[in-house]
Amino acid sequence: MAADRRSSWLKGVLDLLVLTCLTGGESYGYEISKTLAAAGLGEIKGGTLYPVLNRLEEAGLAVGEFRAAERGPGRRYYRLTEEGRRALAEQGASWLEFHTAVKTMLTSATPGGRAT
């Protein structure tokens, strides 16, 4: 059940996390997935990540560019747009405000489950 909850929580913030992964410069799907896993968010499979990247691209928050490789398959590299940076700043601030409200509520609860 805990894994199901984490999955639900992640769905609500994954777009922001992917945008955050692009703040340091361009990146590709597998690299973004590794960054998210290293942050403690678990393995984000391609079937979850690539629709997010497509959605961000369609919304004009990121731009993708396919590049052929000398060896092996090519990769699609993504980078933030200015609109993406603005959206990340605005939505990130809203998320942090929400997180603070949830944290405040959880930390003020008594062991019996009632808020003090």
Side-chain angles (χ1 to χ4, degrees):
M1 181 162 344
D4 292 340
R5 286 191 180 134
R6 284 182 58 89
S7 177
S8 293
W9 298 336
L10 188 58
K11 285 179 188 173
V13 73
L14 188 56
D15 288 22
L16 287 176
L17 296 173
V18 170
L19 288 174
T20 300
C21 288
L22 298 174
T23 58
E26 64 185 17
S27 189
Y28 55 94
Y30 181 67
E31 189 173 61
I32 292 169
S33 178
K34 287 190 330 186
T35 300
L36 294 169
L41 298 166
E43 181 184 359
I44 310 298
K45 297 189 186 267
T48 299
L49 181 59
Y50 288 104
V52 170
L53 288 165
N54 289 336
R55 187 168 52 248
L56 294 174
E57 199 171 3
E58 287 174 7
L61 304 180
V63 174
E65 175 188 342
F66 182 81
R67 295 186 194 151
E70 286 184 28
R71 294 187 306 238
R75 292 184 176 142
R76 188 162 183 81
Y77 285 82
Y78 297 88
R79 64 178 169 78
L80 276 180
T81 62
E82 283 306 311
E83 187 177 344
R85 289 185 191 284
R86 281 192 300 276
L88 177 58
E90 292 167 9
Q91 294 172 25
S94 294
W95 174 260
L96 290 173
E97 186 178 309
F98 178 74
H99 169 267
T100 299
V102 170
K103 184 176 180 180
T104 299
M105 185 116 187
L106 290 174
T107 57
S108 69
T110 62
R114 292 190 212 152
T116 56

